[in-house]
Amino acid sequence: MNDFLTIAGKTYNSRLLVGTGKYRDFAQTRAAVDACGAEIVTVAIRRTNLGQNPNEPNLLDVLPPERFTLLPNTAGCFTADEAVRTLRLARELLDGAALVKLEVLGDPQSLYPNMPETLKAADILVKEGFQVMVYCADDPIQAKMLEDLGCVAIMPLASLIGSGMGILNPWNLALIIERIKVPVIVDAGVGTASDATIAMELGCDGVLMNTAIAHAKNPLRMAGAMKKAVESGREAWLAGRMLKKTYLADPSSPLTGLIGS
């Protein structure tokens, strides 16, 4: 079955996107990426060496751009100006790569997105030719505003970054999925495989995660579980689940022709 994820005109086999932080070392990072089959990996420009520090290990040696789509992100940025400067630097470090992940945070405790600053940064970046995948609140109105600005993917949070609380508001996610035509990718809050499956069963185009894998007791095994979870959730959504019923049981076997009747 040809069921590809397409972002900014490029197709991917995997609908699981992963972060590269919080692992023991770069070797474990690569092993986890391989185990989950991800093709798009996010990189925190302000926290990861991509060559700007020549005397330190370089992530590009472990995750080469010719093999993976590197998605520079603005983790740790709290204003639009910070985020824009960070992604301009990323474009230089990655030889002009245009695909980026924008996140502008509201405060260091919750890491909830600052939507006014996010909208401001998205507008600037799109006008400068960036292909913006954007982390945002699960607000269908603001999600549509980001799409209208020209963002190539909308990435609403499931719950707070690193919380592992799973999808707390499936109704808002469903509204976003219904209204948005570019890919909708759940970002933040996934804690275990069932969370990823639920996101895909709702109709999300993909799931992005980091902590759920990196902080699992066995990261490589969890990476494999997440791969299967995303795939099974997508299959279930494509298959179309049966309707839920609050009453009137429908037996799975016919009642006619029973022995002794």
Side-chain angles (χ1 to χ4, degrees):
M1 181 177 62
N2 294 325
D3 177 43
F4 302 113
L5 171 63
T6 302
I7 299 175
K10 185 174 180 179
T11 59
Y12 302 90
N13 290 299
S14 175
R15 293 176 178 271
L16 175 58
L17 296 71
V18 294
T20 54
K22 304 184 179 181
Y23 289 97
R24 183 180 64 236
D25 50 34
F26 281 171
Q28 188 182 59
T29 302
R30 175 57 189 265
V33 172
D34 287 341
C36 71
E39 298 166 280
I40 302 176
V41 293
T42 69
V43 180
I45 293 298
R46 305 183 91 189
R47 299 170 180 164
T48 306
N49 182 33
L50 299 179
Q52 64 268 46
N53 300 317
N55 297 322
E56 297 178 9
N58 188 338
L59 184 65
L60 299 184
D61 294 333
V62 179
L63 297 171
E66 60 270 18
R67 168 68 179 80
F68 300 96
T69 294
L70 298 180
L71 185 64
N73 69 57
T74 57
C77 292
F78 292 88
T79 68
D81 289 342
E82 282 183 320
V84 169
R85 285 199 306 269
T86 298
L87 291 178
R88 287 169 178 162
L89 171 62
R91 185 159 57 182
E92 293 180 14
L93 291 171
L94 295 173
D95 297 325
L99 188 67
V100 296
K101 180 193 168 190
L102 170 65
E103 57 181 84
V104 185
L105 306 176
D107 65 77
Q109 287 75 41
S110 71
L111 304 182
Y112 199 82
N114 181 326
M115 291 309 300
E117 291 293 294
T118 297
L119 286 158
K120 178 181 174 182
D123 187 34
I124 295 170
L125 291 166
V126 169
K127 288 176 179 176
E128 291 188 6
F130 286 93
Q131 298 166 334
V132 181
M133 301 173 65
V134 57
Y135 167 66
C136 61
D138 57 349
D139 179 336
I141 304 304
Q142 294 186 100
K144 187 69 175 83
M145 293 169 67
L146 288 165
E147 181 185 37
D148 290 344
L149 285 175
C151 294
V152 299
I154 305 300
M155 308 178 75
L157 78 171
S159 51
L160 296 181
I161 291 174
S163 70
M165 292 295 292
I167 297 172
L168 298 184
N169 197 337
W171 310 110
N172 275 23
L173 280 180
L175 284 172
I176 292 171
I177 293 164
E178 179 184 300
R179 299 179 183 187
I180 299 298
K181 293 182 172 57
V182 298
V184 175
I185 298 170
V186 159
D187 180 12
V190 169
T192 191
S194 58
D195 299 331
T197 299
I198 290 169
M200 298 305 294
E201 288 177 346
L202 284 170
C204 290
D205 296 283
V207 180
L208 189 150
M209 65 185 72
N210 185 192
T211 310
I213 296 176
H215 281 187
K217 292 181 180 179
N218 186 329
L220 301 189
R221 190 160 195 168
M222 184 61 80
M226 291 299 188
K227 178 178 187 292
K228 296 169 187 173
V230 169
E231 291 173 350
S232 66
R234 178 67 179 179
E235 286 289 313
W237 184 78
L238 290 173
R241 64 158 292 144
M242 64 170 285
L243 293 177
K244 293 182 179 180
K245 300 180 180 180
T246 56
Y247 61 95
L248 192 59
D250 183 11
S252 57
S253 300
L255 296 177
T256 58
L258 296 178
I259 297 175
S261 63

